[in-house]
């Protein structure tokens, strides 16, 4: 699958087969995140892979999203960039982590896996569950596994509604 096919076919999956994700696939997905760019190439992130059923259930409760417990893998992406701002005034940590997560989501799609970005969760509870030190922040979690059903059709605005040239 080329990158354009992965972009076209990636969708948010909330139901997974009760099937493990092979370690070689998981390592390729994690490596895709590792290879993502970051501000000043600081790579101030950590990827916490959660496969343990009990810990996945705890994260599902902390996110108030029961389907997390049914996915075979959750990858929590943790930033250690603190409040560092890029020159444009935007926080570097969330941007850097989002790029890494998207690399992993596209790699997972290319591997025949489904993903779902999780941004709705209790920060303190997730940090406790994952043993994240005080200077770390869970930016997002990426749920990963084999989809239980085929993906639906994506609904996206046409380019002429979202693109302008030279000025907004």
């Amino acid at each position: 699958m080329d990158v354009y096919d992965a972009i076209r076919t990636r969708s948010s999956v909330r139901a997974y087969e009760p099937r493990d994700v092979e370690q070689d696939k998981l390592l390729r997905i994690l490596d895709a995140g590792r290879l993502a760019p970051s501000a000043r190439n600081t790579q101030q992130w950590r990827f916490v892979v959660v496969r343990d059923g009990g810990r996945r259930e705890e994260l599902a409760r902390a996110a108030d999203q029961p389907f997390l417990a049914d996915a075979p893998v959750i990858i929590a992406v943790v930033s250690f960039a603190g409040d560092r701002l890029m020159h444009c005034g935007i926080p570097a940590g969330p941007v850097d982590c989002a790029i890494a997560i998207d690399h992993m989501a596209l790699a997972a799609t290319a591997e025949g896996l489904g993903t779902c970005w999780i941004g709705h969760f209790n920060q303190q509870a997730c940090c406790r569950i994952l043993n994240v030190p005080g200077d770390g922040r869970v930016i997002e979690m990426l749920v990963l596994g084999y989809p239980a059903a085929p993906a639906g059709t994506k609904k996206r605005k046409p380019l002429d509604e979202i693109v302008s040239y030279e000025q907004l």
Side-chain angles (χ1 to χ4, degrees):
M1 174 179 296
D2 73 18
V3 69
Y4 295 105
D5 288 335
I7 291 167
R8 270 190 295 279
T9 59
R10 193 226 58 87
S11 64
S12 295
V13 175
R14 291 179 179 83
Y16 297 91
E17 292 181 3
R19 176 177 163 195
D20 287 335
V21 172
E22 298 86 346
Q23 184 67 12
D24 61 323
K25 288 185 178 186
L26 179 59
L27 290 175
R28 284 191 295 272
I29 292 163
L30 292 166
D31 200 42
R34 179 185 69 88
L35 293 171
S38 64
R40 292 192 230 146
N41 195 31
T42 56
Q43 303 170 56
Q44 292 179 299
W45 52 48
R46 295 294 178 275
F47 308 143
V48 182
V49 178
V50 179
R51 288 185 160 192
D52 176 75
R55 196 172 310 272
R56 290 192 331 264
E57 286 179 18
E58 286 184 78
L59 290 171
R61 284 192 298 275
D64 194 25
Q65 298 189 61
F67 81 93
L68 272 69
D70 297 329
V73 178
I74 299 171
I75 302 171
V77 179
V78 180
S79 174
F80 289 94
D83 295 330
R84 185 171 56 82
L85 299 177
M86 296 183 288
H87 282 277
C88 62
I90 301 297
V95 171
D96 291 348
C97 290
I99 297 167
I101 293 165
D102 204 49
H103 274 51
M104 289 189 278
L106 292 174
T109 301
E111 296 285 352
L113 298 166
T115 61
C116 189
W117 287 55
I118 304 298
H120 177 94
F121 57 86
N122 180 295
Q123 180 70 226
Q124 292 175 330
C126 287
C127 285
R128 180 188 49 75
I129 294 163
L130 300 169
N131 198 32
V132 174
D135 60 337
R137 302 278 292 169
V138 177
I139 300 300
E140 294 274 334
M141 292 187 285
L142 185 67
V143 182
L144 177 68
Y146 287 94
T153 306
K154 279 188 181 186
K155 294 179 184 174
R156 295 293 186 261
K157 294 179 181 179
L159 282 176
D160 63 357
E161 284 188 35
I162 61 169
V163 175
S164 61
Y165 293 89
E166 309 305 334
Q167 294 183 352
L168 191 58

